[in-house]
Amino acid sequence: MIIQLDMQSELPIYSQLVYQIIEGIASGELQLGEALPSVRNLAADIGVNLHTVNKAYTLLKQDGYILVHRQKGVVVNPDGMPGLTDDFLKKQQRELRPIIAEAICRGMTKEELSAVLDQMYDDVKMGHNRE
């Protein structure tokens, strides 16, 4: 999997890492049980501070996307992905609501917004690039 970071982005590097790893899992590019680079190796490969990678891995571990094995290192959770929970649904609504509001303010119809969402869903599922 190729990690692409935007150093000019307003989105923190650790968040970019979290989102790209989750997207890699969603697209099937990363398989359940697949090993991820160690914190130190990933930090060195992408040229960021190891605390940044550690923070991303910690968040992914807390949410159940990865496990840390003493022998195998960091792996995509072999037992499957976390399910839909009330907390996730609340977080999703909290994050989507301002995006929907901004789309409405800019004149986007519900159908246009749905089409964008449909396309992005398909792109993630198929592992197509973001842009």
Side-chain angles (χ1 to χ4, degrees), residues 41-117:
N41 286 345
L42 183 56
D45 288 348
I46 59 177
V48 300
N49 187 302
L50 64 93
H51 296 295
T52 301
V53 175
N54 192 44
K55 186 170 185 175
Y57 277 6
T58 298
L59 292 171
L60 289 164
K61 182 181 170 190
Q62 286 173 351
D63 288 343
Y65 292 102
I66 64 172
L67 292 177
V68 178
H69 281 264
R70 287 184 180 198
Q71 297 170 332
K72 296 179 181 176
V74 180
V75 296
V76 176
N77 191 339
D79 299 328
M81 292 294 103
L84 285 176
T85 62
D86 286 341
D87 286 343
F88 172 77
L89 294 172
K90 287 176 186 171
K91 175 185 164 202
Q92 187 181 52
Q93 288 178 1
R94 196 174 46 246
E95 292 174 356
L96 285 175
R97 195 169 183 90
I99 294 169
I100 293 168
E102 188 173 5
I104 292 169
C105 287
R106 291 177 178 259
M108 193 173 226
T109 66
K110 185 176 182 178
E111 292 74 25
E112 290 170 330
L113 184 60
S114 293
V116 169
L117 185 60

